[in-house]
Amino acid sequence: MISKLGQIMLYVNDQDRAAEFWTKKIGFQVISEEDGEEDMRWIEIAPTKEAQTSIILHNKEVVARMSPEVNLGSPSLMFFSDNLEQLYQDFKDKNVVVGELVTLPFGKVFNFADEEDNYFAVMENNS
């Protein structure tokens, strides 16, 4: 039985640049950083150290070489925020590429892009 979603693999071209984007602009924290064999390095990031799910930044080129069958596309992630409008303005102030803040039947939402043009979404969650 699966009990929770533990980690999401995000394959990037430049791990250091990606980690800087997620920490300095998005507000995540580096949870751990590991160097493995054959140039395998990963950086674990999350909104907080207590988060149940984290993102692992992997080097896309290394993964492609070691596991050519892996889909290296960006996952479609939906994040939640308790104060979406403030977060939207914060991202804009930090020069994060953001889409329009829209209101849908299920709530407000906007998308944003990392520096490798991977798009993610953030939805209002007041629960």
Side-chain angles (χ1 to χ4, degrees):
M1 173 191 300
I2 295 175
S3 62
K4 68 178 180 178
L5 177 60
Q7 298 175 331
I8 297 165
M9 307 306 179
L10 182 57
Y11 304 109
V12 297
N13 296 313
D14 185 332
Q15 288 171 288
D16 293 320
R17 186 173 175 212
E20 184 175 325
F21 170 82
W22 284 98
T23 57
K24 302 241 188 290
K25 292 188 175 185
I26 305 305
F28 279 37
Q29 299 176 23
V30 173
I31 305 302
S32 68
E33 187 170 343
E34 301 290 332
D35 287 314
E37 298 176 18
E38 299 182 46
D39 296 326
M40 185 58 112
R41 173 180 173 230
W42 59 92
I43 304 169
E44 181 179 12
I45 59 171
T48 66
K49 291 193 183 291
E50 297 79 27
Q52 289 192 353
T53 304
S54 60
I55 295 174
I56 307 297
L57 302 173
H58 281 285
N59 181 303
K60 189 182 285 190
E61 182 181 313
V62 172
V63 172
R65 185 176 69 240
M66 294 179 71
S67 300
E69 71 282 358
V70 171
N71 179 346
L72 300 175
S74 176
S76 182
L77 302 178
M78 173 69 78
F79 297 99
F80 292 143
S81 174
D82 294 333
N83 193 337
L84 192 71
E85 291 178 13
Q86 179 181 338
L87 181 66
Y88 184 74
Q89 188 59 52
D90 183 49
F91 281 12
K92 287 174 66 174
D93 292 345
K94 292 178 180 176
N95 295 317
V96 174
V97 173
V98 294
E100 184 179 346
L101 178 61
V102 297
T103 301
L104 300 173
F106 53 83
K108 295 179 184 175
V109 66
F110 71 90
N111 64 21
F112 68 94
D114 68 10
E115 294 176 349
E116 295 185 10
D117 292 327
N118 298 307
Y119 277 82
F120 309 98
V122 185
M123 184 171 72
E124 182 175 55
N125 182 21
N126 296 321
S127 56

